[in-house]
Amino acid sequence: MEYAKRKLSEEKVFKDPVHRYVHVRDRVIWDLIGTKEFQRLRRIRQLGTTYLTFHGRNTAVSATRSASMKLSGELQMMFLKTG
């Protein structure tokens, strides 16, 4: 089976502050998330230290990356359906 089309044996789910839950089913996406470059985004804050004052405000780049992944997946499915 081609690597880009391989699926995970078990679906992975991430909690996202905007989109609630993001589901990962593809092996290539899971491997991408596991890279050190992608994991580095967890430590980067968009608004610096404001998260220390506003505790409910998650400004980590990793929070927005999961939202981007979800939206790009939905866009891809839309393109595949419309041909």
Side-chain angles (χ1 to χ4, degrees):
M1 178 181 271
E2 188 179 332
Y3 175 70
K5 295 181 180 179
R6 287 177 47 198
K7 301 290 182 190
L8 294 171
S9 60
E10 184 177 274
E11 181 179 72
K12 308 292 183 182
V13 181
F14 295 96
K15 186 161 175 50
D16 180 72
V18 176
H19 297 282
R20 295 192 184 141
Y21 296 99
V22 177
H23 302 265
V24 177
R25 297 174 187 94
D26 299 319
R27 167 58 65 188
V28 69
I29 300 295
W30 183 248
D31 290 344
L32 178 67
I33 291 171
T35 62
K36 65 180 180 178
E37 294 83 6
F38 207 82
Q39 289 298 314
R40 184 174 171 265
L41 298 174
R42 295 169 68 183
R43 296 188 309 270
I44 298 173
R45 301 279 176 186
Q46 291 174 329
L47 299 177
T49 58
T50 56
Y51 73 97
L52 297 172
T53 305
F54 303 102
H55 301 290
R57 184 81 178 142
N58 187 357
T59 59
V61 175
S62 61
T64 58
R65 70 160 187 213
S66 59
S68 299
M69 185 179 65
K70 178 179 174 56
L71 293 176
S72 64
E74 290 176 3
L75 184 63
Q76 178 187 16
M77 292 306 295
M78 185 180 72
F79 284 142
L80 290 173
K81 286 180 182 177
T82 58

XYZ file of all heavy atoms in Angstrom:
689
model
N 0.843 -1.179 0.000
C 0.000 0.000 0.000
C 0.890 1.245 0.000
O 1.902 1.304 0.686
C -0.919 -0.005 1.224
C -1.800 1.228 1.316
S -2.848 1.241 2.773
C -4.263 0.397 2.144
N 0.516 2.247 -0.737
C 1.272 3.482 -0.819
C 1.265 4.195 0.526
O 0.247 4.268 1.211
C 0.655 4.372 -1.886
C 1.460 5.595 -2.193
C 0.805 6.440 -3.272
O 0.094 5.894 -4.117
O 1.026 7.648 -3.231
N 2.436 4.728 0.906
C 2.604 5.357 2.223
C 1.594 6.472 2.463
O 1.017 6.579 3.548
C 4.026 5.901 2.352
C 4.275 6.662 3.620
C 4.333 6.004 4.845
C 4.439 8.037 3.604
C 4.552 6.700 6.011
C 4.666 8.742 4.771
C 4.716 8.068 5.972
O 4.928 8.769 7.129
N 1.361 7.323 1.474
C 0.461 8.465 1.640
C -0.983 8.043 1.898
O -1.762 8.809 2.444
C 0.520 9.367 0.413
N -1.342 6.820 1.549
C -2.726 6.354 1.723
C -2.908 5.441 2.928
O -4.022 5.001 3.197
C -3.180 5.617 0.460
C -3.254 6.530 -0.739
C -3.728 5.794 -1.958
C -3.797 6.736 -3.148
N -4.229 6.047 -4.358
N -1.832 5.159 3.662
C -1.935 4.266 4.812
C -2.727 4.915 5.931
O -2.630 6.110 6.179
C -0.550 3.885 5.313
C 0.140 2.922 4.382
C 1.536 2.574 4.810
N 1.635 2.222 6.219
C 2.774 2.218 6.875
N 3.901 2.529 6.276
N 2.806 1.894 8.143
N -3.514 4.125 6.613
C -4.336 4.584 7.737
C -3.765 4.033 9.040
O -3.077 3.017 9.062
C -5.789 4.114 7.582
C -6.466 4.599 6.317
C -6.718 6.073 6.380
C -7.450 6.534 5.129
N -7.520 7.962 5.022
N -4.069 4.697 10.130
C -3.681 4.221 11.450
C -4.588 3.074 11.871
O -5.754 3.013 11.474
C -3.788 5.357 12.472
C -2.835 6.525 12.290
C -3.211 7.662 13.242
C -1.408 6.097 12.536
N -4.078 2.186 12.691
C -4.918 1.091 13.177
C -5.961 1.608 14.162
O -7.007 0.998 14.345
C -4.054 0.019 13.829
O -3.344 0.572 14.924
N -5.658 2.744 14.793
C -6.568 3.341 15.765
C -6.597 4.854 15.542
O -5.557 5.474 15.377
C -6.054 3.028 17.171
C -6.938 3.485 18.282
C -6.372 3.064 19.625
O -6.643 1.944 20.052
O -5.642 3.887 20.214
N -7.764 5.428 15.521
C -7.907 6.870 15.317
C -7.367 7.650 16.515
O -7.602 7.281 17.652
C -9.387 7.196 15.117
C -9.670 8.652 14.879
C -11.148 8.902 14.668
O -11.905 8.820 15.654
O -11.524 9.165 13.533
N -6.623 8.721 16.249
C -6.086 9.582 17.301
C -6.938 10.846 17.370
O -7.328 11.391 16.348
C -4.636 9.977 17.005
C -3.726 8.805 16.716
C -3.522 7.960 17.931
C -2.548 6.840 17.607
N -2.331 5.958 18.716
N -7.231 11.323 18.574
C -8.101 12.481 18.763
C -7.381 13.511 19.636
O -6.842 13.169 20.685
C -9.438 12.079 19.421
C -10.340 13.278 19.592
C -10.128 11.000 18.603
N -7.376 14.771 19.173
C -6.791 15.882 19.920
C -7.883 16.853 20.305
O -8.787 17.107 19.521
C -5.763 16.634 19.061
C -4.572 15.805 18.698
C -4.523 15.151 17.483
C -3.512 15.682 19.566
C -3.435 14.383 17.141
C -2.414 14.925 19.235
C -2.379 14.270 18.018
N -7.782 17.402 21.500
C -8.733 18.434 21.928
C -8.220 19.788 21.457
O -7.070 20.142 21.693
C -8.892 18.420 23.440
C -9.976 19.357 23.929
C -10.397 18.984 25.318
C -11.376 19.929 25.937
N -12.517 20.276 25.172
N -9.076 20.523 20.764
C -8.734 21.830 20.218
C -9.644 22.877 20.845
O -10.845 22.643 20.975
C -8.924 21.798 18.693
C -8.585 23.120 18.060
O -7.394 23.455 18.010
O -9.507 23.824 17.620
N -9.101 24.034 21.255
C -9.936 25.041 21.911
C -10.998 25.654 21.006
O -12.009 26.144 21.491
C -8.935 26.109 22.364
C -7.686 25.850 21.623
C -7.701 24.416 21.206
N -10.825 25.599 19.698
C -11.784 26.205 18.777
C -12.710 25.156 18.168
O -13.928 25.304 18.164
C -11.048 26.970 17.652
C -12.034 27.516 16.637
C -10.215 28.091 18.243
N -12.138 24.061 17.682
C -12.913 23.061 16.941
C -13.276 21.837 17.789
O -13.654 20.810 17.251
C -12.136 22.619 15.709
C -11.898 23.731 14.752
N -12.868 24.189 13.904
C -10.813 24.518 14.537
C -12.396 25.184 13.185
N -11.152 25.412 13.555
N -13.115 21.941 19.077
C -13.394 20.878 20.044
C -12.458 19.687 19.868
O -11.527 19.550 20.595
C -14.856 20.454 20.000
C -15.777 21.555 20.435
C -17.168 21.039 20.654
N -18.023 22.173 20.983
C -19.236 22.291 20.543
N -19.768 21.370 19.778
N -19.943 23.349 20.882
N -12.720 18.822 18.893
C -11.898 17.635 18.716
C -11.433 17.513 17.272
O -12.197 17.740 16.347
C -12.667 16.379 19.116
C -13.019 16.372 20.578
C -14.278 16.750 21.009
C -12.081 16.012 21.533
C -14.601 16.764 22.355
C -12.384 16.025 22.883
C -13.650 16.399 23.282
O -13.948 16.413 24.610
N -10.168 17.146 17.120
C -9.585 16.933 15.798
C -9.202 15.463 15.711
O -8.489 14.943 16.567
C -8.340 17.819 15.589
C -7.701 17.526 14.251
C -8.723 19.288 15.693
N -9.685 14.777 14.682
C -9.446 13.345 14.493
C -8.361 13.135 13.442
O -8.420 13.715 12.370
C -10.729 12.657 14.042
C -11.853 12.837 15.022
N -12.126 11.903 15.992
C -12.742 13.847 15.198
C -13.152 12.331 16.718
N -13.542 13.509 16.257
N -7.384 12.301 13.786
C -6.305 11.961 12.854
C -6.428 10.485 12.505
O -6.408 9.626 13.382
C -4.916 12.255 13.465
C -3.811 11.832 12.512
C -4.794 13.719 13.816
N -6.543 10.203 11.220
C -6.699 8.828 10.742
C -5.559 8.391 9.819
O -5.335 7.217 9.631
C -8.018 8.699 9.992
C -9.224 8.955 10.845
C -10.512 8.953 10.022
N -11.633 9.351 10.835
C -12.082 10.597 10.927
N -11.514 11.563 10.259
N -13.107 10.887 11.705
N -4.842 9.356 9.250
C -3.823 9.042 8.249
C -2.441 8.894 8.888
O -2.036 9.693 9.730
C -3.754 10.147 7.191
C -5.070 10.300 6.454
O -5.686 9.269 6.140
O -5.473 11.451 6.195
N -1.688 7.893 8.438
C -0.342 7.629 8.940
C 0.601 8.802 8.647
O 1.406 9.199 9.477
C 0.178 6.333 8.319
C 1.658 6.074 8.477
C 2.155 6.025 9.892
N 1.617 4.916 10.625
C 1.799 4.760 11.938
N 2.506 5.623 12.621
N 1.278 3.746 12.577
N 0.505 9.372 7.462
C 1.411 10.453 7.077
C 1.203 11.682 7.971
O 2.167 12.341 8.371
C 1.278 10.791 5.572
C -0.053 11.428 5.255
C 2.414 11.696 5.128
N -0.029 11.971 8.346
C -0.314 13.100 9.243
C 0.232 12.810 10.639
O 0.851 13.666 11.272
C -1.831 13.399 9.307
C -2.375 13.740 7.926
C -2.136 14.487 10.318
C -1.821 15.022 7.353
N 0.033 11.594 11.117
C 0.522 11.213 12.438
C 2.050 11.292 12.503
O 2.616 11.778 13.479
C 0.038 9.811 12.785
C 0.430 9.378 14.152
C 1.306 8.398 14.476
C -0.031 9.926 15.394
N 1.419 8.298 15.839
C 0.617 9.220 16.420
C -0.913 10.933 15.720
C 0.393 9.492 17.754
C -1.131 11.202 17.060
C -0.485 10.486 18.061
N 2.717 10.841 11.453
C 4.177 10.923 11.406
C 4.648 12.373 11.353
O 5.663 12.725 11.948
C 4.718 10.141 10.215
C 4.558 8.638 10.394
O 4.310 8.187 11.533
O 4.672 7.925 9.389
N 3.917 13.212 10.659
C 4.253 14.635 10.594
C 4.119 15.291 11.969
O 4.974 16.068 12.383
C 3.347 15.348 9.584
C 3.554 16.848 9.439
C 4.917 17.135 8.823
C 2.462 17.454 8.595
N 3.071 14.972 12.688
C 2.862 15.517 14.029
C 3.989 15.088 14.963
O 4.394 15.841 15.843
C 1.492 15.084 14.587
C 0.383 15.782 13.814
C 1.372 15.372 16.083
C -0.994 15.277 14.121
N 4.534 13.914 14.756
C 5.591 13.392 15.616
C 6.971 13.967 15.363
O 7.889 13.723 16.152
N 7.153 14.756 14.326
C 8.479 15.303 14.038
C 8.876 16.345 15.075
O 8.020 16.999 15.672
C 8.533 15.945 12.636
O 7.615 17.032 12.587
C 8.225 14.931 11.550
N 10.179 16.501 15.271
C 10.652 17.463 16.271
C 10.293 18.898 15.890
O 10.039 19.729 16.752
C 12.149 17.324 16.503
C 13.008 17.655 15.332
C 14.477 17.491 15.662
C 15.316 17.852 14.435
N 16.730 17.756 14.714
N 10.237 19.205 14.598
C 9.870 20.547 14.156
C 8.423 20.871 14.512
O 8.112 21.980 14.946
C 10.066 20.687 12.640
C 11.498 20.605 12.178
C 12.010 19.185 12.011
O 11.232 18.234 12.147
O 13.216 19.041 11.750
N 7.553 19.905 14.349
C 6.141 20.104 14.666
C 5.934 20.189 16.173
O 5.170 21.025 16.666
C 5.333 18.950 14.077
C 3.922 19.301 13.753
C 3.604 19.949 12.583
C 2.897 18.968 14.623
C 2.296 20.263 12.275
C 1.592 19.281 14.325
C 1.293 19.930 13.147
N 6.625 19.355 16.932
C 6.492 19.361 18.389
C 7.049 20.637 19.000
O 6.611 21.075 20.057
C 7.186 18.139 18.990
C 6.460 16.844 18.700
C 5.072 16.830 19.288
O 4.862 17.203 20.440
N 4.102 16.401 18.513
N 7.998 21.255 18.323
C 8.573 22.510 18.801
C 7.519 23.617 18.898
O 7.615 24.522 19.723
C 9.693 22.945 17.863
C 10.416 24.161 18.311
C 11.605 24.445 17.390
N 12.171 25.742 17.721
C 11.852 26.869 17.110
N 11.001 26.868 16.105
N 12.382 28.000 17.474
N 6.493 23.526 18.080
C 5.429 24.536 18.095
C 4.680 24.584 19.423
O 4.043 25.591 19.739
C 4.435 24.262 16.959
C 4.999 24.334 15.546
C 3.945 23.901 14.548
C 5.494 25.725 15.238
N 4.774 23.531 20.211
C 4.076 23.500 21.505
C 4.643 24.524 22.475
O 3.952 24.985 23.380
C 4.176 22.106 22.111
C 3.460 21.062 21.278
C 3.772 19.681 21.720
N 3.215 19.435 23.034
C 3.381 18.314 23.701
N 4.079 17.334 23.179
N 2.850 18.160 24.878
N 5.929 24.870 22.299
C 6.578 25.808 23.221
C 6.519 27.260 22.764
O 6.887 28.151 23.514
C 8.037 25.393 23.402
C 8.210 24.041 24.048
C 9.668 23.773 24.387
N 10.582 23.981 23.271
C 10.939 23.065 22.384
N 10.426 21.860 22.468
N 11.796 23.336 21.427
N 6.085 27.507 21.551
C 6.054 28.866 21.018
C 4.711 29.510 21.356
O 3.653 28.958 21.071
C 6.273 28.861 19.495
C 7.646 28.277 19.174
C 6.131 30.258 18.916
C 7.896 28.072 17.704
N 4.752 30.684 21.950
C 3.534 31.423 22.320
C 3.380 32.616 21.394
O 4.333 33.366 21.162
C 3.617 31.923 23.760
C 3.808 30.839 24.770
C 2.524 30.186 25.090
N 2.763 29.075 26.006
C 1.834 28.252 26.369
N 0.618 28.390 25.931
N 2.103 27.261 27.173
N 2.178 32.831 20.873
C 1.936 33.944 19.973
C 1.878 35.278 20.709
O 2.246 36.299 20.164
C 0.629 33.727 19.208
C 0.722 32.594 18.227
C -0.607 32.303 17.576
O -1.651 32.489 18.176
N -0.561 31.844 16.343
N 1.420 35.260 21.935
C 1.272 36.504 22.692
C 2.240 36.587 23.867
O 1.977 37.276 24.853
C -0.172 36.646 23.185
C -1.231 36.700 22.095
C -2.623 36.768 22.714
C -1.010 37.893 21.175
N 3.335 35.892 23.780
C 4.352 35.970 24.824
C 3.867 35.443 26.154
O 3.363 34.332 26.256
N 3.977 36.253 27.191
C 3.645 35.809 28.552
C 2.223 36.156 28.977
O 1.889 35.988 30.154
C 4.633 36.442 29.549
O 4.563 37.864 29.429
C 6.046 35.965 29.299
N 1.383 36.610 28.075
C 0.009 36.968 28.475
C -0.783 35.764 28.965
O -1.750 35.927 29.695
C -0.759 37.634 27.320
O -0.734 36.768 26.192
C -0.165 38.967 26.968
N -0.357 34.556 28.595
C -1.072 33.364 29.080
C -0.938 33.226 30.596
O -1.740 32.560 31.243
C -0.575 32.097 28.376
C 0.793 31.629 28.815
C 0.931 30.643 29.774
C 1.941 32.168 28.262
C 2.175 30.208 30.174
C 3.189 31.745 28.647
C 3.301 30.757 29.611
O 4.533 30.333 30.001
N 0.077 33.867 31.193
C 0.231 33.836 32.647
C -0.841 34.679 33.337
O -1.249 34.385 34.452
C 1.626 34.331 33.037
C 2.793 33.482 32.530
C 4.117 34.180 32.810
C 2.760 32.103 33.157
N -1.306 35.736 32.682
C -2.347 36.599 33.237
C -3.737 36.083 32.902
O -4.615 36.024 33.756
C -2.195 38.039 32.699
O -0.871 38.481 32.988
C -3.200 38.965 33.330
N -3.933 35.704 31.651
C -5.229 35.214 31.176
C -5.130 33.699 30.998
O -4.784 33.206 29.933
C -5.600 35.899 29.859
C -5.630 37.398 29.961
C -4.592 38.165 29.472
C -6.694 38.034 30.571
C -4.609 39.539 29.574
C -6.735 39.413 30.682
C -5.685 40.168 30.186
N -5.437 32.967 32.058
C -5.204 31.527 32.089
C -6.023 30.754 31.069
O -5.586 29.726 30.565
C -5.469 30.978 33.487
C -4.611 31.604 34.522
N -3.257 31.373 34.588
C -4.899 32.487 35.512
C -2.744 32.076 35.586
N -3.724 32.756 36.175
N -7.201 31.208 30.742
C -8.043 30.493 29.791
C -7.654 30.726 28.347
O -8.159 30.072 27.442
N -6.753 31.636 28.132
C -6.348 31.999 26.775
C -5.167 31.144 26.355
O -4.074 31.252 26.878
C -5.953 33.481 26.760
C -5.609 33.985 25.424
C -6.884 34.302 24.671
N -6.482 34.848 23.377
C -7.116 34.586 22.279
N -8.190 33.846 22.303
N -6.711 35.099 21.158
N -5.390 30.258 25.412
C -4.323 29.400 24.910
C -3.768 30.019 23.639
O -4.418 30.007 22.603
C -4.855 27.995 24.634
C -3.733 27.045 24.284
O -2.578 27.428 24.193
N -4.092 25.795 24.097
N -2.570 30.546 23.711
C -1.986 31.238 22.565
C -0.836 30.454 21.950
O -0.039 30.998 21.213
C -1.478 32.624 22.983
O -0.496 32.469 24.015
C -2.617 33.496 23.464
N -0.742 29.190 22.276
C 0.334 28.382 21.711
C 0.065 28.137 20.238
O -1.074 27.967 19.806
C 0.443 27.057 22.452
N 1.125 28.120 19.477
C 1.012 27.864 18.046
C 0.458 26.454 17.811
O -0.259 26.213 16.857
C 2.383 28.043 17.361
C 2.329 27.656 15.899
C 2.848 29.480 17.505
N 0.746 25.534 18.731
C 0.254 24.166 18.576
C -1.268 24.106 18.613
O -1.871 23.232 17.995
C 0.835 23.266 19.663
O 0.434 23.724 20.932
N -1.905 25.026 19.325
C -3.371 25.043 19.365
C -3.943 25.443 18.011
O -4.973 24.919 17.583
C -3.850 25.998 20.443
N -3.282 26.351 17.340
C -3.781 26.780 16.033
C -3.389 25.818 14.929
O -4.058 25.742 13.910
C -3.271 28.190 15.682
O -1.851 28.187 15.689
C -3.793 29.209 16.652
N -2.332 25.030 15.131
C -1.932 24.073 14.098
C -2.968 22.973 13.937
O -3.240 22.529 12.841
C -0.569 23.480 14.403
C -0.632 22.561 15.592
C 0.475 21.605 15.710
N 0.095 20.746 16.823
C 0.922 20.212 17.636
N 2.196 20.407 17.503
N 0.497 19.454 18.607
N -3.577 22.535 15.049
C -4.584 21.487 14.937
C -5.829 22.019 14.236
O -6.470 21.309 13.471
C -4.939 20.918 16.312
O -5.419 21.933 17.160
N -6.151 23.282 14.471
C -7.284 23.892 13.779
C -6.989 23.994 12.283
O -7.850 23.711 11.450
C -7.572 25.271 14.351
N -5.767 24.355 11.936
C -5.382 24.446 10.524
C -5.443 23.081 9.862
O -5.879 22.950 8.725
C -3.973 25.008 10.400
O -3.903 26.284 10.944
N -5.007 22.055 10.588
C -5.031 20.703 10.045
C -6.472 20.262 9.788
O -6.775 19.679 8.747
C -4.347 19.740 11.011
C -4.226 18.333 10.487
S -3.378 17.241 11.636
C -4.505 17.204 12.994
N -7.357 20.558 10.720
C -8.758 20.168 10.567
C -9.385 20.867 9.365
O -10.041 20.229 8.541
C -9.538 20.500 11.834
C -11.018 20.168 11.742
C -11.707 20.490 13.031
C -13.193 20.324 12.968
N -13.668 19.042 12.558
N -9.172 22.174 9.255
C -9.760 22.923 8.149
C -9.186 22.509 6.797
O -9.919 22.412 5.812
C -9.573 24.421 8.373
C -10.340 25.000 9.553
C -9.988 26.467 9.737
C -11.834 24.834 9.360
N -7.887 22.246 6.743
C -7.303 21.821 5.465
C -7.806 20.437 5.064
O -8.010 20.160 3.883
C -5.779 21.850 5.529
O -5.311 20.927 6.471
N -8.051 19.574 6.040
C -8.620 18.259 5.735
C -10.036 18.364 5.196
O -10.416 17.656 4.261
N -10.821 19.263 5.783
C -12.186 19.471 5.288
C -12.180 20.062 3.885
O -12.983 19.675 3.034
C -12.951 20.385 6.242
C -13.277 19.732 7.562
C -13.948 20.670 8.542
O -14.210 21.835 8.184
O -14.210 20.234 9.671
N -11.251 20.962 3.627
C -11.123 21.556 2.296
C -10.711 20.502 1.275
O -11.244 20.454 0.160
C -10.104 22.697 2.331
C -9.915 23.488 1.051
C -11.216 24.199 0.667
C -8.801 24.506 1.238
N -9.791 19.631 1.655
C -9.355 18.550 0.770
C -10.524 17.629 0.431
O -10.703 17.241 -0.731
C -8.239 17.758 1.429
C -7.760 16.596 0.593
C -6.773 15.726 1.340
O -6.656 15.803 2.559
N -6.072 14.890 0.617
N -11.322 17.272 1.427
C -12.479 16.404 1.178
C -13.484 17.077 0.252
O -14.077 16.434 -0.611
C -13.147 16.006 2.495
C -12.296 15.100 3.363
S -11.731 13.611 2.524
C -13.272 12.785 2.239
N -13.665 18.384 0.405
C -14.577 19.127 -0.461
C -14.088 19.075 -1.909
O -14.873 18.845 -2.838
C -14.692 20.569 0.006
C -15.720 21.378 -0.779
S -15.831 23.076 -0.190
C -14.287 23.725 -0.800
N -12.789 19.258 -2.116
C -12.220 19.207 -3.466
C -12.341 17.809 -4.072
O -12.608 17.663 -5.261
C -10.766 19.654 -3.478
C -10.582 21.133 -3.361
C -9.542 21.645 -2.615
C -11.432 22.019 -3.995
C -9.362 23.011 -2.505
C -11.258 23.378 -3.894
C -10.222 23.871 -3.146
N -12.134 16.793 -3.255
C -12.227 15.419 -3.750
C -13.665 15.072 -4.166
O -13.880 14.357 -5.135
C -11.721 14.428 -2.703
C -10.224 14.447 -2.445
C -9.888 13.537 -1.277
C -9.458 14.038 -3.682
N -14.630 15.578 -3.418
C -16.034 15.288 -3.737
C -16.504 16.019 -4.990
O -17.281 15.487 -5.772
C -16.933 15.678 -2.555
C -16.822 14.724 -1.396
C -17.720 15.160 -0.268
C -17.559 14.211 0.919
N -18.364 14.634 2.053
N -16.022 17.263 -5.187
C -16.482 18.038 -6.342
C -15.680 17.725 -7.604
O -16.098 18.082 -8.690
C -16.376 19.558 -6.055
O -15.030 19.892 -5.746
C -17.297 19.952 -4.933
N -14.564 17.058 -7.437
C -13.760 16.636 -8.596
C -12.985 17.743 -9.109
O -12.450 18.085 -10.009
